[in-house]
Amino acid sequence: MSGHTTELVVFVVLFLIVSGMGFVAARWRRPDNIESLHEWGLGGRNFGTWITWFLVGGDLYTAYTFVAVPALVFGAGALGFYALPYTVVVYPLVFLVLARMWSVSHVHGFVTPADFVRARFGSPTLALLIAITGLIATMPYIALQLVGIEAVLKAMGITGHLPIIIAFAILAAYTYQSGLRAPALIAFVKDTLIYIVILAAVIYIPAKLGGWDFIFSKAAEKFAKTPAPGDGILLTGANQLQYITLAFGSALALFLYPHSLTGVLASKNRNVIKRNMSALPAYSFLLGLIALLGFMAIAAGTKPVVNPATGKDDNNTIVPVLFDQMFPDWFTGVAYAAIGIGALVPAAIMSIAAANLFTRNIYKEYINKHASDAQEAKVSKLVSLVVKVGAVLCILLLDPQFSIDLQLIGGVIILQTLPSVALGLYTRWFHKGGLIAGWAAGLSAGMWMLYLIPNPSNGKLHFGGSAFPLKNLGFDTTMTIYAGAIALTVNLVVAAVVTLILRAAKVADGEDATSRSEYFADEGDPRVKDLDLSGSH
C-alpha cells in the first residue's frame, strides 16, 4: 500500500459516498409500501427515459467492461474488440422484442422471464428450468464485478479476499434495504465518473506516450514475438469465425440475462424502451475507447500485478496499473472509484434479478403458492444475499485469470433460454416438451465443449474460454468457433424435431391452450386488458 495513500483515500471517500447513496435510495421516490417485488425488485415500474438509460447502461457496461475487455486486448489483441460489434448488433435485435416483452409483462404483472414462459407455454417445469438457468448464468456475472473491485485494490497493494468480503457486505446491506432504487440512483454517478475517466485517458495517455502510431506499432511488435497463433492487432484465419460467432452469440445472450430484463421491466412505458434502444449505442463508442486501453498498456510497458498465490501475472490489473503509471495520484483514485462503483451497480441489479427468479418461479410456484406481496419481497431480499455468497464462491472456485471467461461461460448457459423466451414472444409453435428437450441438449453440448477448452496461458485444462476448436468435431482446420453458437444450434434442432414428433403423436401441450390474436396488441390498444398468453400455434 506504500505510495498509494492518495489513491486509496480518494477511492474510499468516493466509494463511501456512493454506498451512502445506496442507503438513501430507499427514500427516493418512496412508495407507501416497498414490501412487494413490483416496488423492491422493479422500482415501482415507474422509471423514465433518463433513469432507465443510466440504469440499463450501468447494468450492461460494467466492471467487466473496464477490466476484462482491455485485459483481453492486452493478451490477445484484435479478438478483444468482439465486444464492440456485439453491442452495436444487439440493439436492433432487441428493439421490438423488449417493447413486446414490456407490454406483456406490464399487463400480466410478470417480474421475470420465467414468469412469461410459465404463462406462455403453460408449463411449470419449463419455467423452473428457465429460472434455474438464469440463476446459474448470473452467478459468474456477479463474480465478475467483484473481480473488478479486487483488481483495483490489488493495484493499490491490497491483496487477499478482503475486497470480496467488503464488496459483499456493502452490496448486501444497501440492496437489502433499497432494492432496485439503489443501483438506479448510483448509476448517475457511476456513468458520469466513467465518461470523465475514459475521455481523459484517450486524450491524455496517447499524448504522453507519443501518439496512436507509436501505440499500435508497439502492440504489433509484442504480438509478433508471442508463440500464440491467434493473437495480433488484426484477426487471423484461425479466429475470424470465433470473432463473428462470439459477437453475434453475445448479442443474442445479452438481453436474455435476468438483470437486463429487470432494468427494462422497471420502465414506465414502451416509449421509454424504444428511446433507450435508440440511445444506448452511445455506450458502444465508450466501449471502443475502453478496449484501446489494452494497446495503450502494451505501449506504456505496463506490467500486471503478480498473483502471490500462483506466481503468475494477473491480467485483470492491467488497466488499474496503467492508470497508476500515467495519471496523477488524485485522478488515479477517481479512476479506481469509477471501476469500483462500476461493479456495484450491475452486481446489485443482478442479485435482485436472481432473487426475483427464485422467489417467483421456485418459492411461489413450489413452496408457498399463496405467498403475499410482503412474503415475496422478504424472500427475495434474503435470496439476494445468498446469491452474492454464490458469486463469491465463483471467485474462490473458478480461476478468474481471464475474468472475461466467467461471463462467456454464463453466456453459453443463458443462450439456451432463447427458444423459450425470445422466440416464445413470437410463436407457440414449439411444444413445451420440445423446448425442454432442446434446453437439455443445448446445455449438455455447451458444457461438454466448455470442458474441452483449455487455456494454455494459465495452464487450465478445462473451462479455459469459449473458443471451441473445430478439429474436435473432426474438421481438418485450426479455426475455432464460439461454443455457445453450436450449443444454441443443437438446442433449436432438437426442440424442432421433438416438437414435430410430439405434434404428430398429438401429445397435449400446455395447460391453457386457448388462442387470441390480440395477445401482442400494443400498449394503449383497448384490447390490451384482454391479452391472453397462449397465442396461436
Side-chain angles (χ1 to χ4, degrees):
M1 202 165 73
S2 173
H4 296 286
T5 306
T6 303
E7 298 165 6
L8 185 62
V9 169
V10 173
F11 173 82
V12 170
V13 169
L14 287 173
F15 203 80
L16 290 177
I17 289 172
V18 168
S19 299
M21 289 175 64
F23 291 104
V24 170
R27 290 189 278 278
W28 177 52
R29 296 179 166 220
R30 186 175 179 84
D32 294 333
N33 181 16
I34 199 173
E35 298 301 319
S36 74
L37 288 192
H38 294 282
E39 289 295 344
W40 183 83
L42 290 179
R45 297 180 185 261
N46 198 33
F47 292 156
T49 302
W50 275 107
I51 297 174
T52 302
W53 192 74
F54 280 107
L55 179 67
V56 176
D59 188 14
L60 303 181
Y61 299 85
T62 66
Y64 143 66
T65 310
F66 245 127
V67 169
V69 172
L72 189 62
V73 170
F74 177 85
L79 186 63
F81 284 91
Y82 86 91
L84 199 54
Y86 123 54
T87 57
V88 172
V89 166
V90 69
Y91 297 110
L93 284 176
V94 302
F95 188 94
L96 295 176
V97 173
L98 289 181
R100 184 174 290 188
M101 178 63 86
W102 184 91
S103 286
V104 176
S105 300
H106 177 74
V107 171
H108 298 282
F110 298 153
V111 175
T112 71
D115 280 351
F116 163 74
V117 170
R118 169 71 174 87
R120 180 67 158 145
F121 295 98
S123 174
T125 304
L126 180 59
L128 176 65
L129 295 177
I130 298 300
I132 292 172
T133 305
L135 282 167
I136 293 172
T138 302
M139 291 295 187
Y141 221 153
I142 302 174
L144 190 64
Q145 311 315 315
L146 302 180
V147 168
I149 297 176
E150 190 177 37
V152 165
L153 292 175
K154 278 183 181 177
M156 290 188 285
I158 301 172
T159 56
H161 292 303
L162 180 63
I164 295 176
I165 297 169
I166 293 171
F168 166 78
I170 293 173
L171 275 175
Y174 73 63
T175 305
Y176 187 92
Q177 177 175 323
S178 304
L180 194 65
R181 285 174 173 80
L185 188 58
I186 292 171
F188 286 97
V189 178
K190 172 249 183 188
D191 286 356
T192 301
L193 283 176
I194 285 179
Y195 268 105
I196 290 171
V197 170
I198 293 304
L199 291 176
V202 296
I203 295 170
Y204 179 75
I205 295 177
K208 195 170 179 181
L209 289 174
W212 288 105
D213 231 10
F214 176 78
I215 290 171
F216 280 102
S217 64
K218 281 293 182 184
E221 280 178 29
K222 178 203 168 181
F223 293 124
K225 294 175 184 175
T226 61
D231 62 13
I233 61 171
L234 297 175
L235 294 173
T236 67
N239 62 16
Q240 287 173 359
L241 181 62
Q242 161 73 3
Y243 183 89
I244 294 166
T245 53
L246 178 56
F248 187 65
S250 298
L252 292 176
L254 187 61
F255 276 94
L256 292 171
Y257 279 103
H259 61 273
S260 301
L261 284 172
T262 296
V264 168
L265 296 184
S267 306
K268 65 182 179 182
N269 59 49
R270 282 169 61 103
N271 288 332
V272 168
I273 306 298
K274 291 179 177 179
R275 283 193 290 267
N276 269 275
M277 291 306 103
S278 301
L280 278 168
Y283 278 97
S284 298
F285 170 71
L286 186 70
L287 182 58
L289 301 180
I290 290 172
L292 287 170
L293 292 172
F295 285 160
M296 292 184 211
I298 294 172
T302 303
K303 302 294 182 189
V305 174
V306 176
N307 188 333
T310 62
K312 296 180 180 178
D313 291 344
D314 182 357
N315 276 359
N316 295 323
T317 61
I318 277 295
V319 170
V321 174
L322 174 67
F323 287 162
D324 187 36
Q325 274 182 254
M326 307 304 294
F327 288 140
D329 287 352
W330 68 270
F331 194 78
T332 303
V334 173
Y336 287 175
I339 298 174
I341 296 163
L344 290 181
V345 172
I349 302 171
M350 290 167 193
S351 63
I352 290 168
N356 289 346
L357 271 174
F358 177 87
T359 303
R360 270 298 178 94
N361 308 114
I362 298 176
Y363 173 75
K364 189 165 185 176
E365 184 74 47
Y366 294 98
I367 300 172
N368 183 1
K369 285 184 178 292
H370 305 291
S372 65
D373 286 349
Q375 286 174 316
E376 282 187 354
K378 183 177 181 181
V379 170
S380 202
K381 286 181 176 182
L382 293 173
V383 173
S384 74
L385 304 181
V386 176
V387 167
K388 294 184 191 72
V389 174
V392 171
L393 291 176
C394 278
I395 293 295
L396 300 179
L397 300 178
L398 297 175
D399 180 3
Q401 172 68 25
F402 269 101
S403 56
I404 205 166
D405 291 344
L406 292 173
Q407 189 264 345
L408 294 175
I409 290 169
V412 173
I413 294 171
I414 201 66
L415 263 177
Q416 307 318 311
T417 67
L418 184 142
S420 301
V421 178
L423 297 185
L425 278 167
Y426 289 93
T427 177
R428 277 192 78 250
W429 179 81
F430 286 104
H431 192 285
K432 65 178 182 180
L435 289 170
I436 291 170
W439 171 87
L443 200 57
S444 299
M447 289 299 101
W448 171 73
M449 286 183 286
L450 291 172
Y451 180 80
L452 291 180
I453 297 171
N455 188 337
S457 67
N458 56 22
K460 286 181 66 173
L461 298 177
H462 308 292
F463 296 103
S466 64
F468 184 72
L470 285 176
K471 66 181 181 182
N472 288 346
L473 297 178
F475 293 98
D476 183 20
T477 179
T478 58
M479 295 177 73
T480 58
I481 188 171
Y482 177 46
I486 297 179
L488 179 60
T489 302
V490 170
N491 184 334
L492 290 168
V493 169
V494 171
V497 170
V498 174
T499 293
L500 288 171
I501 293 170
L502 294 175
R503 295 244 184 271
K506 293 184 166 42
V507 175
D509 205 336
E511 297 167 358
D512 34 22
T514 56
S515 169
R516 201 177 291 255
S517 62
E518 61 266 34
Y519 165 55
F520 292 130
D522 281 356
E523 185 212 13
D525 188 313
R527 298 174 297 170
V528 81
K529 63 179 182 299
D530 298 321
L531 294 187
D532 182 272
L533 282 178
S534 53
S536 60
H537 295 289

